[in-house]
Amino acid sequence: MCRHTSRELPPEPRSASVARAFLRECLTEWDLTALYDDAALALTELVANAVMHAATPLVVTVSCERGMVEIGVHDGNPSMPAIRPHRTDVEADIRQALATEAAAGLQPVDERDPGTHVGPSGSLLGGRGLLVVDALAAQWGVSPLSDGKAVWVRTPVPQGWPHAADCPCATDEQPTILGSGRPVVHRG
C-alpha cells in the first residue's frame, strides 16, 4: 500500500499554501481526504518553521506506507527544532516583556525580537507550532540528514481504506525514501 511523492518549494511564506494544495491533491488521489484538515494544519506549521528558521529551499514529501500517512518537510538547516514548554503565568510573562521593552526603549518587530522572549517558553508572539503538531499527529519527529533535517508527522489511514493492499513502488529498483529519511521496506 505504499505511495510517495514530493514537491520542492522556495523558502517563502506562500510555500505553506502551495504545500497545502499539494497535500490536498495527494490525499484526494489516494482516497484519504478524511485526513486533510489535521494533516494540512500540521504541514502548515512544519513549512512555516522551515521558512522562518531554516531559510533554505525545502522539499515536502507525502507518503503512505504500512497503514500510516507520513508528511515530511526537509530543509537544508541541520539545527533541530524543539517544543517550547507551556506558559504557566502568561500575564506575568507579558508584564516582564513590556518592562524589558520599556527599559530598553524597544518596539518588537517580530517573534524573533529578543524583547518578546520571556522565560523557558520563549517568544510571547509565536513558537507554539510544534505543540500543535504534537497534538494533531499520531507520531512526529525529526530526522537528521547529511544535508539538513526532515521534520515529519505520521497519522494512521482510516479503517477500511480501499487501497491497503496496493503498493505501486514495490517493483522500483531504487528504494523509496520517506520524508523521515526511512526507506520503504517491502515484505512479501
Side-chain angles (χ1 to χ4, degrees):
M1 119 178 91
C2 60
R3 308 230 181 318
H4 178 79
T5 189
S6 62
R7 172 139 327 147
E8 293 182 25
L9 297 171
E12 301 169 354
R14 69 180 176 85
S15 289
S17 66
V18 174
R20 285 190 302 273
F22 171 62
L23 177 65
R24 184 179 296 280
E25 290 171 18
C26 295
L27 295 182
T28 299
E29 182 179 327
W30 300 344
D31 295 322
L32 290 167
T33 55
L35 302 178
Y36 178 76
D37 290 340
D38 286 352
L41 182 53
L43 177 59
T44 298
E45 293 295 341
L46 298 184
V47 170
N49 282 351
V51 168
M52 179 177 280
H53 301 293
T56 67
L58 50 128
V59 178
V60 173
T61 59
V62 183
S63 306
C64 185
E65 188 237 354
R66 288 196 220 155
M68 298 294 276
V69 171
E70 180 178 286
I71 301 163
V73 176
H74 173 210
D75 65 55
N77 186 327
S79 298
M80 296 291 144
I83 288 184
R84 294 180 185 168
H86 291 280
R87 294 200 172 278
T88 55
D89 189 348
V90 175
E91 188 177 348
D93 290 347
I94 291 170
R95 280 194 306 272
Q96 181 181 346
L98 291 173
T100 301
E101 286 176 11
L106 297 175
Q107 292 295 322
V109 176
D110 64 30
E111 79 97 21
R112 294 167 289 189
D113 185 329
T116 65
H117 287 251
V118 180
S121 295
S123 174
L124 290 167
L125 304 177
R128 302 301 171 272
L130 289 179
L131 289 172
V132 172
V133 168
D134 188 56
L136 293 172
Q139 302 170 346
W140 76 276
V142 183
S143 299
L145 303 171
S146 62
D147 59 347
K149 67 180 169 299
V151 185
W152 47 267
V153 297
R154 293 186 189 128
T155 192
V157 299
Q159 203 90 27
W161 182 53
H163 305 289
D166 302 345
C167 187
C169 68
T171 58
D172 291 351
E173 290 182 23
Q174 292 285 72
T176 298
I177 305 298
L178 301 177
S180 60
R182 295 184 314 113
V184 172
V185 178
H186 299 282
R187 295 194 167 95

